[in-house]
Amino acid sequence: MIARLRRSLVVSCVLATMLAVGGCTISSGGRTDGSAGPVSTTRTSAAAIGFTPADTTAPVNPLSPIRVDVTQGTLTSVTLTNPDGKVVTGITTPDRTSWKPGEPLGYGKTYHLVAEAVDAQGLTTTKDTTFTTLAPNNQTRVYLNTTGGQSISDGGTYGVGLVVVAHFDEEIGDRAAAEKAMTVTTTPPVQGSWYWLDDQNAHWRPQQYYAPGTTVSVDAKIYGTQLGKGLYGQQDEKVSFRIGDSHVSIADDNTKMVTVYENGRVVREMPTSMGRGGTETIGNTTLSFWTQPGTYTVMDKSNPVIMDSSTYGLPINSRLGYKESINWATRISTDGIYLHELASTVWAQGNTNVSHGCLNLSPSNAQWFFNFAQPGDVVEVRNTGGAPLEVWQNGDWGVPWNTWLAGSALR
């Protein structure tokens, strides 16, 4: 009985000593500072999430850098949702410390962005925001055309003199901004430049004719670009094409012949009858009947085409008026100069100019040229009277190179 009591006293003393020395280690209800209340086990993640732009209260340009970054941690998820509830695809860096959208955002839309990250201890943190993209007062679309007004065909083949036309459907207030957004890349490289005809049309050509086989890519990244006076680009446009064989035709009024070269070799000689010359005044308009000298390019072709003199101010019922269906017509100017078939003037072809300005050919020659020609082929008219061909008439190649360069908004 005494021995059992002694053992109990020893155990009690040992327990008392242990509790006195290490009680705060095993207690779940006390605090080390002696104050009342439970011990807090909550810890904050060291990962810090940041958004760009930091201020999402102002309208955001859809092309502005939208980014999620994390320090002292890695991203576990980022979700950007558009107003329709669709998740926008994104790109995360390999180290999972940064994220950005993988597609352009829309104008005037509200997006919800949620990001989650984890630190080295496995503790997570979440951050979210809402932002709205700007809503432009007006938008413009750009069309990449030939000088004939047709869309350049992606993967198509064109002549060595092709001029790229960037046509905007609204007047551009900031030509420099528009031009910076439009790049032309060629293989092999050539020197080229944009030239603004007016606030809606910019033309691009190289200093010299392309070499056959050149590839050309035009990339107009205007979406999200401020183009002046509240006008923004509506969408990007891109096209690539190839330069085919060199087709250069020389129409010489001294010989009344059209000599056609393919890759520097003469492939056909065609007698022609060009503009009879002189002028005619109708009301307040004076019309010229010269085939203007200059360097033209093939714009388009039609078989047949209705030629109506009233479209350029010469009434059909006037002394020189006409309206006819003409076969095998290849157009080379904006104001209606064609190389075309006209059997009734075969007698004059090669010796006398009798046309209103077009280059008349025999039916067989006109058909051959029609089938041979492609948009961008060069036609040089030499030794005729009248004023030189102007750039608005499809006379881009007649503009001296220094003048062409000065027509850029970036010079």
Side-chain angles (χ1 to χ4, degrees):
M1 180 69 180
I2 295 174
R4 187 179 301 118
L5 179 60
R6 285 177 176 172
R7 285 197 298 270
S8 298
L9 289 172
V10 170
V11 171
S12 298
C13 289
V14 171
L15 288 174
T17 302
M18 290 177 61
L19 290 172
V21 173
C24 62
T25 301
I26 64 173
S27 171
S28 62
R31 296 178 60 92
T32 58
D33 58 5
S35 60
V39 175
S40 174
T41 59
T42 303
R43 291 172 54 191
T44 303
S45 173
I49 299 173
F51 292 151
T52 301
D55 179 13
T56 55
T57 60
V60 174
N61 186 306
L63 291 187
S64 295
I66 308 297
R67 202 171 69 242
V68 179
D69 296 292
V70 63
T71 58
Q72 299 187 62
T74 57
L75 294 169
T76 54
S77 69
V78 178
T79 304
L80 180 62
T81 309
N82 72 12
D84 299 323
K86 179 183 176 182
V87 175
V88 177
T89 60
I91 301 170
T92 305
T93 56
D95 62 1
R96 303 195 65 81
T97 61
S98 187
W99 179 97
K100 65 180 180 180
E103 60 188 79
L105 305 185
Y107 286 127
K109 294 184 177 182
T110 299
Y111 292 85
H112 186 213
L113 178 60
V114 181
E116 183 180 272
V118 63
D119 67 9
Q121 304 303 315
L123 298 176
T124 62
T125 185
T126 302
K127 185 175 181 179
D128 74 315
T129 190
T130 299
F131 64 89
T132 300
T133 54
L134 63 84
N137 294 331
N138 196 10
Q139 299 178 45
T140 183
R141 185 173 176 181
V142 63
Y143 297 86
L144 301 176
N145 297 335
T146 69
T147 55
Q150 295 80 29
S151 297
I152 296 175
S153 176
D154 195 48
T157 299
Y158 294 90
V160 297
L162 185 80
V163 174
V164 175
V165 177
H167 171 69
F168 294 86
D169 61 9
E170 298 282 348
E171 291 188 356
I172 301 301
D174 188 342
R175 293 183 180 183
E179 192 170 328
K180 286 178 182 177
M182 300 187 297
T183 58
V184 181
T185 306
T186 67
T187 304
V190 300
Q191 183 181 6
S193 180
W194 291 101
Y195 177 96
W196 289 84
L197 271 69
D198 52 43
D199 286 339
Q200 287 186 256
N201 297 282
H203 290 197
W204 193 97
R205 72 165 175 87
Q207 183 177 6
Q208 299 174 331
Y209 301 148
Y210 295 102
T214 300
T215 58
V216 185
S217 294
V218 186
D219 196 359
K221 293 184 177 180
I222 66 166
Y223 178 75
T225 300
Q226 219 277 26
L227 301 174
K229 301 177 181 178
L231 182 68
Y232 281 79
Q234 180 176 329
Q235 65 185 58
D236 295 341
E237 296 291 342
K238 186 175 184 178
V239 70
S240 296
F241 59 93
R242 178 182 177 275
I243 301 300
D245 290 331
S246 172
H247 295 172
V248 177
S249 300
I250 309 297
D252 191 338
D253 198 26
N254 287 344
T255 61
K256 307 290 190 293
M257 298 290 291
V258 178
T259 305
V260 183
Y261 296 83
E262 182 175 39
N263 298 324
R265 181 177 63 89
V266 175
V267 293
R268 199 168 184 97
E269 293 181 308
M270 307 181 297
T272 188
S273 178
M274 292 191 270
R276 69 183 69 197
T279 60
E280 183 91 359
T281 300
I282 307 293
N284 296 323
T285 303
T286 298
L287 305 173
S288 171
F289 298 107
W290 294 101
T291 303
Q292 292 172 258
T295 301
Y296 301 70
T297 56
V298 171
M299 302 177 74
D300 53 47
K301 49 190 179 179
S302 183
N303 181 43
V305 64
I306 302 299
M307 294 193 176
D308 184 346
S309 65
S310 66
T311 60
Y312 61 89
L314 183 62
I316 297 172
N317 59 1
S318 65
R319 180 175 64 87
L320 296 174
Y322 58 87
K323 184 175 183 179
E324 299 180 49
S325 177
I326 302 295
N327 295 325
W328 310 114
T330 303
R331 185 165 69 107
I332 60 172
S333 84
T334 56
D335 51 353
I337 302 299
Y338 289 79
L339 286 85
H340 65 77
E341 172 268 331
L342 197 60
S344 63
T345 66
V346 167
W347 66 269
Q349 293 167 23
N351 61 82
T352 307
N353 289 331
V354 297
S355 85
H356 289 70
C358 290
L359 292 84
N360 293 175
L361 302 171
S362 70
S364 61
N365 281 333
Q367 182 176 359
W368 178 89
F369 189 79
F370 182 96
N371 292 327
F372 175 81
Q374 60 192 352
D377 284 355
V378 176
V379 179
E380 297 182 17
V381 175
R382 300 176 179 177
N383 301 313
T384 61
L389 185 70
E390 297 184 30
V391 63
W392 67 268
Q393 295 171 295
N394 193 33
D396 299 80
W397 285 101
V399 179
W401 185 242
N402 286 339
T403 304
W404 186 271
L405 291 176
S408 164
L410 302 179
R411 299 286 175 176

